[in-house]
Amino acid sequence: SDGLPICPVTRRSLDAMSNVICFRTSGRVYSKHVLEDFYFGGEDDDDNRDPISNEPVHEGDVVTIQDPIRAAQKRLMAREEAQRFDPSKALSSGLPETVRAPEYFNVENYVE
């Protein structure tokens, strides 16, 4: 009704704040809530099935399409890192602005 796609299993709208995944094997897109009943990493890994096609789904078959919380965390970390870096402090740290190469790198020493 609101024009947004919906998860075919949970019937939840897939909006900008939804965790959205895709199964590589079937190409179908679901809400991440579909994975709540999945167990990866054991011998029962073949028990995980695509809820629509019934194809086996392994951990490597799950592709995250949208994870707004993780994206927000990455943006926040990048912003904090940018604020921490101050180019004026890099030059005032006692390092010379130019560094001379050692004498043994001087090409003139090897020219005959």
Side-chain angles (χ1 to χ4, degrees), residues 4-5 10 19 22-23 35 37 39 46 53 57 60 80 87-89 91-92 94-95 98-99 103 111:
L4 294 172
T10 65
N19 282 349
C22 173
F23 291 150
L35 294 180
D37 295 330
Y39 172 73
D46 286 336
S53 68
V57 175
E80 288 173 351
S88 63
K89 289 181 182 175
L91 292 177
S92 65
L95 296 174
T98 58
V99 177
E103 281 299 312
V111 176

Side-chain angles (χ1 to χ4, degrees), residues 45-90:
D45 207 20
D46 286 336
D47 291 344
N48 298 318
R49 301 247 172 215
D50 184 307
I52 302 292
S53 68
N54 203 33
E55 295 174 56
V57 175
H58 302 282
E59 189 171 14
D61 297 331
V62 179
V63 178
T64 299
I65 296 175
Q66 177 175 288
D67 186 345
I69 301 299
R70 187 173 175 119
Q73 288 172 338
K74 284 183 177 182
R75 283 192 303 271
L76 180 61
M77 287 173 38
R79 189 176 312 130
E80 288 173 351
E81 185 65 29
Q83 290 172 348
R84 252 183 294 192
F85 177 73
D86 183 359
S88 63
K89 289 181 182 175

Side-chain angles (χ1 to χ4, degrees), residues 5-14 29-32 34:
I6 62 167
C7 173
V9 176
T10 65
R11 310 304 287 174
R12 295 179 183 196
S13 293
L14 301 176
V29 176
Y30 299 103
S31 166
K32 192 171 184 178
V34 169

